[in-house]
């Protein structure tokens, strides 16, 4: 479905200071943010404290809801995957994951939302479903923010943790990402603290440095997946552009600026990166860079040759890492049955 040439701008794509509100008095901006982010009105006509003519003008000038809910898979208390249609016709997915008190010490009523940053992905990691058909588009700030608001509305949950680990590479959509985070963070917006927001990247070095230089204390997760260049090259083409030495320098820089722990994500793939040598190398990198490790047994992707290691090998890997004194968790595979693992989102509607 092509985008309509007469498409109106999306209100959530602009910062409230940039909203064109004609001759409206200044306090209207505050009333609008209240209606949108506190009361969650989904159409201008519902904003009954605003004059009718002003509401009509807004509706003529702006679009308010950019995502059309298509379907939900999974049920309450399990991982749920939400499929949305963008106004341009493309599809995206967001995944709501209930808290895991055992793993993260979170309260049981907490939820993590995994959002998509792009339609498709240009980085072509060899194991990943999201990049199979290449990159299609960057999500706009409003499309990023609306994923949270829509999932909260559809599920009744309050999102306490946000991870940019869905489809796409968030740091390749840097400007929109930060514009969205400003709203997600703001007192007048979604009020989610920067420390509750994790940006996951395949290792785009200049953008990691840029993220270190911006003021928010965002959490950074690096998708490592190989503890030496040869192994990483085999899985992630981005490593040829930004090899491990450069990536680790950027990690150290992030740490120096933010004074917080990094996370290394490491998918375990049978016979590729699951050896004891990889475990020992990975642990050494993590110690040096003050990172904790999130191990993810590979989720099989249809049509790709990779497999998850045997349980015994996963256990050995974890034991080697832990014996080196590094904090490591194995990500439980909630949502495996609905292909909802973060980073495993694929546009089935289109295939
Ligand atoms: N582009 C970013 C964020 C999206 S991917 C990045 O690469 O970090 C989020 C995470 O899911 C990454 O660590 C990614 O490597 C992982 N992932 C991708 N495909 C997977 C699969 N089939 N099984 C398990 N994890 C996968
Ligand atoms: Fe893109 Fe991340 Fe998938 Fe790599 S793992 S192809 S960077 S979404």
């Amino acid at each position: 479905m092509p985008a309509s040439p007469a498409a109106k701008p999306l209100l959530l794509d602009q910062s409230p200071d940039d909203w064109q509100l004609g001759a409206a008095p200044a306090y209207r901006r505050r009333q609008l943010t209240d209606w949108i982010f506190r009361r969650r009105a989904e159409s201008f006509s519902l904003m009954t404290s605003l004059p009718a003519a002003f509401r009509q003008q807004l509706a003529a000038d702006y679009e308010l809801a950019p995502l059309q809910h298509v379907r939900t898979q999974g049920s309450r208390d399990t991982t749920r995957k939400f499929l949305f249609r963008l106004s341009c016709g493309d599809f995206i997915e967001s995944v709501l994951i209930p808290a895991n008190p055992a793993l993260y010490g979170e309260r049981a009523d907490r939820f993590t939302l995994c959002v998509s940053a792009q339609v498709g992905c240009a980085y072509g990691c060899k194991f990943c479903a999201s990049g199979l058909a290449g990159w299609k588009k960057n999500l706009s700030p409003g499309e990023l923010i609306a994923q949270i608001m829509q999932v909260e509305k559809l599920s009744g949950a309050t999102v306490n943790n946000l991870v940019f680990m869905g489809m796409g590479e968030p740091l390749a959509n840097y400007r929109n990402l930060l514009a969205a985070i400003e709203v997600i963070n703001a007192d007048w917006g979604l009020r989610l603290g920067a420390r509750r927001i994790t940006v996951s990247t395949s290792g785009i070095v200049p953008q990691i440095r840029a993220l270190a230089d911006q003021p928010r204390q965002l959490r950074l997760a690096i998708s490592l997946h190989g503890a030496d260049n040869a192994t990483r090259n085999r899985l992630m083409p981005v490593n040829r552009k930004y090899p491990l030495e450069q990536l680790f320098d950027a990690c150290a820089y992030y740490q120096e600026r933010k004074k917080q722990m990094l996370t290394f994500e490491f998918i375990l793939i049978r016979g590729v990166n699951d050896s004891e040598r990889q475990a020992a190398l990975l642990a050494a990198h993590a110690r040096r860079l003050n990172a904790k490790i999130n191990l993810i047994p590979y989720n099989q992707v249809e049509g790709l040759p990779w497999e998850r290691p045997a349980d015994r090998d996963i256990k050995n890997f974890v034991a080697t890492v832990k014996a080196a004194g590094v904090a490591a968790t194995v990500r439980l595979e909630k949502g495996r049955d609905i292909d909802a693992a973060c980073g495993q989102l694929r546009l089935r509607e289109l295939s």
Side-chain angles (χ1 to χ4, degrees), residues 199-216:
V199 176
S200 174
T201 180
S202 58
I204 305 179
V205 163
Q207 267 71 35
I208 293 174
R209 290 180 175 272
L211 204 67
D213 287 335
Q214 61 76 47
R216 288 176 217 281

Side-chain angles (χ1 to χ4, degrees), residues 121-125 127-131 166-169 202 223 225 236 343:
C121 183
Y123 285 83
C125 301
F127 49 80
C128 176
S130 295
M167 184 184 297
E169 169 52 56
S202 58
S223 291
H225 312 327
M236 304 177 74

Side-chain angles (χ1 to χ4, degrees), residues 5-26:
K8 288 177 273 187
L10 186 57
L11 194 73
L12 291 178
D13 279 350
Q14 302 173 4
S15 137
D17 290 340
D18 297 331
W19 291 342
Q20 302 292 311
L21 304 183

Side-chain angles (χ1 to χ4, degrees), residues 14 51 80 94 124 155 159 183 193 202 212 215 219 238 261 266 269 275 286 304 311 325 331 337 344:
Q14 302 173 4
R80 267 171 288 176
S94 319
S155 66
V159 171
V183 178
S202 58
R219 302 214 175 262
V238 69
M261 261 196 145
F266 202 92
I269 306 178
S275 68
L304 298 182
D311 284 352
R331 192 193 286 172
D337 52 331
Q344 220 204 329

Side-chain angles (χ1 to χ4, degrees), residues 44-339:
F44 294 113
S45 61
L46 296 171
M47 303 180 180
T48 46
S49 64
L50 305 177
F54 181 56
R55 283 185 263 154
Q56 276 160 17
Q57 190 58 48
L58 281 169
D61 292 344
Y62 284 110
E63 205 67 64
L64 189 55
L67 302 183
Q68 202 186 328
H69 177 234
V70 179
R71 66 156 190 256
T72 304
Q73 285 175 276
S75 55
R76 228 196 128 68
D77 305 323
T78 65
T79 292
R80 267 171 288 176
K81 182 163 77 165
F82 299 83
L83 179 72
F84 298 112
R85 189 185 294 109
L86 306 176
S87 34
C88 60
D90 289 320
F91 294 91
I92 55 163
E93 291 172 314
S94 319
V95 181
L96 185 66
I97 308 151
N100 187 333
L103 254 187
Y104 303 112
E106 293 168 332
R107 292 200 346 236
D109 59 349
R110 301 206 156 228
F111 286 88
T112 295
L113 183 68
C114 173
V115 291
S116 294
Q118 301 180 311
V119 180
C121 183
Y123 285 83
C125 301
K126 303 280 190 246
F127 49 80
C128 176
S130 295
L132 279 180
W135 175 84
K136 190 131 184 235
K137 79 163 228 157
N138 284 336
L139 296 191
S140 73
E143 289 164 341
L144 296 171
I145 299 159
Q147 290 178 67
I148 309 167
M149 297 176 70
Q150 275 270 21
V151 168
E152 288 192 333
K153 175 178 161 251
L154 291 163
S155 66
T158 301
V159 171
N160 319 99
N161 279 301
L162 186 65
V163 296
F164 286 89
M165 291 187 187
M167 184 184 297
E169 169 52 56
L171 291 190
N173 187 14
Y174 189 83
R175 269 184 49 177
N176 292 351
L177 176 78
L178 283 202
I181 284 174
E182 188 186 331
V183 178
I184 293 165
N185 226 195
D187 257 1
W188 50 261
L190 293 179
R191 288 190 182 156
L192 189 66
R195 287 168 198 277
R196 303 202 149 271
I197 303 174
T198 301
V199 176
S200 174
T201 180
S202 58
I204 305 179
V205 163
Q207 267 71 35
I208 293 174
R209 290 180 175 272
L211 204 67
D213 287 335
Q214 61 76 47
R216 288 176 217 281
Q217 282 288 344
L218 301 167
R219 302 214 175 262
L220 182 64
I222 306 286
S223 291
L224 212 53
H225 312 327
D228 55 42
N229 279 322
T231 308
R232 202 163 189 265
N233 281 342
R234 209 175 143 190
L235 297 169
M236 304 177 74
V238 69
N239 195 65
R240 294 183 193 272
K241 188 154 187 203
Y242 303 117
L244 280 179
E245 300 73 24
Q246 287 183 37
L247 178 56
F248 289 148
D249 278 354
C251 289
Y253 183 68
Y254 196 85
Q255 194 129 76
E256 190 188 303
R257 299 298 299 254
K258 301 293 182 204
K259 314 269 183 253
Q260 54 163 263
M261 261 196 145
L262 300 170
T263 301
F264 286 159
E265 293 164 274
F266 202 92
I267 303 181
L268 291 169
I269 306 178
R270 180 187 295 231
V272 175
N273 63 1
D274 59 345
S275 68
E276 210 159 316
R277 191 182 120 74
Q278 283 287 303
L281 262 178
L282 172 64
H285 296 316
R287 271 182 79 112
R288 192 163 43 84
L289 289 158
N290 190 25
K292 58 188 176 191
I293 298 173
N294 192 1
L295 297 167
I296 314 156
Y298 182 63
N299 277 309
Q300 195 86 33
V301 174
E302 223 177 278
L304 298 182
W306 320 98
E307 289 171 22
R308 60 183 278 155
D311 284 352
R312 183 176 32 92
D313 294 332
I314 296 174
K315 277 197 185 122
N316 284 342
F317 197 98
V318 179
T320 306
V321 168
K322 286 192 171 163
V326 174
T329 51
V330 181
R331 192 193 286 172
L332 296 181
E333 294 165 278
K334 288 177 184 165
R336 201 172 166 204
D337 52 331
I338 54 169
D339 280 351

